[in-house]
Amino acid sequence: MSPLAIDSPGLTATSHPIQRAGAWAVAVLAGRAAPQDVTEADLDAVAARLVEDVMTAALAPKDSTAYDWWKVLFALYPNSKATHSKRPRDHAALLPEILALFVPDAPGSPTWPCTFCGVPAAVVWTKKNLPMYDTDKTLNTLPPGVAGWPICRGCRVAAWALPYGAWVTAGSATVLSCEQDAAEREFSARNVIRARRIMQLGFDGLAAGARPEAVVLRALKALGPDLPAAATLWSFKNDNQDPWVRVTRTRRAMSLFLATVEGNAEPRRGWRLLELALTRRDKEGQPVKSGPAEAARLLFEAEDGRSRSLLSQLHQLLDEPEKSWSLRNRAALTRLAFIYAEEILGMNPDLKPVATVIADWIEYGSGAPRGRLAEYRNVALSDYKLGALLMQAHFRLTLDGRAVSAGPEDWRPLIQQRPRAWEQRMLLSATVLQLLQERGVAVNERPVDPEDEARTELLVGRPILGGEDDDDDRGAA
């Protein structure tokens, strides 16, 4: 391909998450540190690679592994020349149409500001070549007489380099926006390796259960605690009729939280216990759900509120009657919950006095401790019901002549409908259960299985977010 005919920067990374992800992919494919370092010669080389890979996918038989990359392209560009059902199946007939996507702008052509980066652009593209630009159900949003959106050559190459730098499936793509460029580049670099593996081995050649959240957290962990950075994942499908976008994000303190967990023995142990608890294997022992990936997912909050929280998952693990934890492991999981509350949610509640009231009532009240623990479990997350139980416990302990370590003023933050009260009630539950286990109160939980405990000890010392079941640790294909 010849050099650019119109004087313009080779490539600019904008704030648009899809264009930015594509720009980082171009930089990685070109071996450059950042998008702004990409030269016109680099664009030529990357465009040539894109053409070769697109042609291979477009002409691949449906029963071949190479066809899996066509599925990726179809999910992003369903009406393009490379993916349309009526595309030529002859190499010589299709090649000119694919080459035309990335040719330099013709000299002397009229130009408009590029839709993404604003540099002069002589080529206009419609939605068939651009992910997430209108659907068949949407009326044309272009001004009258305008044939498409002006896109400069650099952004055209970036638009089709997108699937290399995104976390792709056969039906969707996920891109990262982060305050720190280093995290974005790391995310893109790992996905470029993964994309090449998909092209060679198909999706069946990937590890089961791998997720983009784990890749992001490893990148944030590498930043260290001195570089706080919020990260946002944009997952989307460019469907003809019903495209969708889902947004999840972490908080700016995530790198500090990860550094605190990794640098301290007990919360690190708690995180590994969480990863092990979330790992799922088939009958042959092969992983079908990656524990590190599932744990990483808990640290991302969905924009629509439909996401599991880390505190909720820890509460479920600690409060499960059929699951037995050793005192050390229960304390480690509880410590992890409190560190998350402090570093991510900005909470630092002193729940020991109120937890002591409940633990005293369970241990010394009338009837069997198991029954009172079950009664507490039934109301632990309800503001009104928990308040009623605390009042009952207060009166019972007072009538029995026992010291009561907390009163109504201490309960107030837990039983009101106010921000973070729900999270505090989960932390309270974890504290109560730990106190009971420290005291040796018999609540008829199953004894800890020595063999299971021994297996856990062999695994719990491994690094957090280790990715033993992820694609990242298999090496480049």
Side-chain angles (χ1 to χ4, degrees):
M1 292 184 180
S2 60
L4 285 171
I6 294 177
D7 185 22
S8 65
L11 184 62
T12 301
T14 71
S15 58
H16 191 292
I18 294 177
Q19 189 275 349
R20 188 174 183 84
W24 274 111
V26 173
V28 172
L29 290 168
R32 300 297 182 182
Q36 61 265 27
D37 299 326
V38 172
T39 66
E40 295 177 10
D42 292 332
L43 285 179
D44 289 339
V46 172
R49 178 171 180 176
L50 294 181
V51 169
E52 180 181 352
D53 292 343
V54 169
M55 289 294 298
T56 300
L59 301 177
K62 290 187 176 181
D63 58 353
S64 67
T65 55
Y67 191 71
D68 281 3
W69 192 247
W70 180 90
K71 296 176 185 177
V72 171
L73 298 179
F74 181 77
L76 299 179
Y77 324 97
N79 298 308
S80 70
K81 297 292 186 180
T83 59
H84 200 279
S85 60
K86 296 182 179 179
R87 67 188 181 279
R89 296 306 199 274
D90 177 70
H91 187 280
L94 181 60
L95 181 59
E97 301 198 42
I98 304 304
L99 286 171
L101 295 173
F102 311 115
V103 295
D105 294 346
S109 300
T111 63
W112 303 268
C114 174
T115 301
F116 293 109
C117 66
V119 304
V123 174
V124 293
W125 269 8
T126 60
K127 64 186 177 183
K128 68 181 181 181
N129 290 326
L130 291 170
M132 301 305 291
Y133 267 68
D134 284 356
T135 75
D136 289 343
K137 291 184 176 180
T138 304
L139 295 176
N140 187 14
T141 58
L142 291 167
V146 178
W149 291 274
I151 310 293
C152 71
R153 190 200 184 200
C155 289
R156 282 186 276 132
V157 173
W160 278 72
L162 168 67
Y164 295 80
W167 180 276
V168 293
T169 70
S172 67
T174 299
V175 300
L176 170 69
S177 297
C178 185
E179 295 174 296
Q180 296 293 339
D181 288 352
E184 291 184 333
R185 193 186 198 288
E186 176 69 9
F187 185 77
S188 183
R190 287 181 179 270
N191 288 332
V192 166
I193 295 173
R194 186 172 181 270
R196 182 55 64 188
R197 186 173 294 117
I198 294 171
M199 293 179 199
Q200 294 181 358
L201 305 176
F203 284 106
D204 289 341
L206 303 179
R211 295 193 58 85
E213 292 88 352
V215 180
V216 175
L217 290 190
R218 291 183 195 122
L220 292 179
K221 184 162 69 77
L223 293 176
D226 296 329
L227 288 176
T232 301
L233 284 175
W234 309 77
S235 300
F236 61 94
K237 181 178 181 180
N238 192 30
D239 186 86
N240 275 331
Q241 297 296 322
D242 294 300
W244 51 260
V245 179
R246 296 171 188 147
V247 182
T248 60
R249 54 174 56 92
T250 67
R251 306 201 180 205
R252 297 192 77 247
M254 188 55 64
S255 57
L256 177 59
F257 168 74
L258 294 173
T260 302
V261 170
E262 187 175 42
N264 294 274
E266 289 311 300
R268 183 171 65 248
R269 183 183 186 86
W271 183 269
R272 281 294 295 143
L273 290 169
L274 174 65
E275 290 181 342
L276 293 172
L278 294 176
T279 299
R280 297 291 181 270
R281 299 181 181 274
D282 60 21
K283 294 180 180 179
E284 285 73 38
Q286 297 302 311
V288 295
K289 185 174 289 187
S290 166
E294 291 301 308
R297 191 180 184 185
L298 297 172
L299 297 180
F300 283 77
E301 301 173 29
E303 191 176 57
D304 60 5
R306 298 178 182 178
S307 55
R308 290 183 301 160
S309 72
L310 177 66
L311 285 185
S312 178
Q313 184 67 62
L314 289 173
H315 171 77
Q316 180 180 330
L317 285 176
L318 289 168
D319 198 47
E320 187 177 346
E322 298 301 318
K323 177 66 177 178
S324 297
W325 298 103
S326 68
L327 180 58
R328 181 184 181 187
N329 287 345
R330 182 178 292 279
L333 289 164
T334 301
R335 181 64 182 143
L336 175 65
F338 272 86
I339 287 178
Y340 177 83
E342 180 177 355
E343 300 292 355
I344 300 300
L345 303 181
M347 300 167 54
N348 191 20
D350 180 13
L351 301 176
K352 189 73 172 288
V354 180
T356 300
V357 171
I358 298 174
D360 287 347
W361 173 73
I362 292 172
E363 182 176 8
Y364 301 118
S366 58
R370 181 183 183 185
R372 286 189 296 278
L373 177 58
E375 186 177 345
Y376 168 62
R377 278 179 163 140
N378 288 334
V379 306
L381 299 184
S382 168
D383 50 3
Y384 174 79
K385 293 178 180 178
L386 177 62
L389 184 141
L390 283 166
M391 186 65 70
Q392 177 186 351
H394 188 280
F395 278 120
R396 182 72 267 170
L397 294 173
T398 300
L399 291 173
D400 289 346
R402 295 187 179 277
V404 182
S405 58
E409 286 302 315
D410 301 295
W411 315 338
R412 191 181 304 279
L414 293 157
I415 63 177
Q416 290 182 328
Q417 294 184 356
R418 54 184 292 178
R420 301 303 178 201
W422 186 69
E423 288 85 350
Q424 289 198 52
R425 290 193 288 273
M426 286 190 287
L427 294 172
L428 175 67
S429 175
T431 307
V432 169
L433 294 172
Q434 184 177 340
L435 282 176
L436 292 173
Q437 192 162 2
E438 289 174 354
R439 296 179 183 185
V441 177
V443 290
N444 289 343
E445 290 187 341
R446 292 190 310 165
V448 176
D449 185 345
E451 293 186 5
D452 184 53
E453 193 71 7
R455 286 192 297 268
T456 298
E457 287 300 318
L458 290 175
L459 298 172
V460 79
R462 294 182 182 178
I464 68 171
L465 298 168
E468 58 263 32
D469 299 329
D470 275 353
D471 303 319
D472 301 315
D473 295 317
R474 292 188 174 192

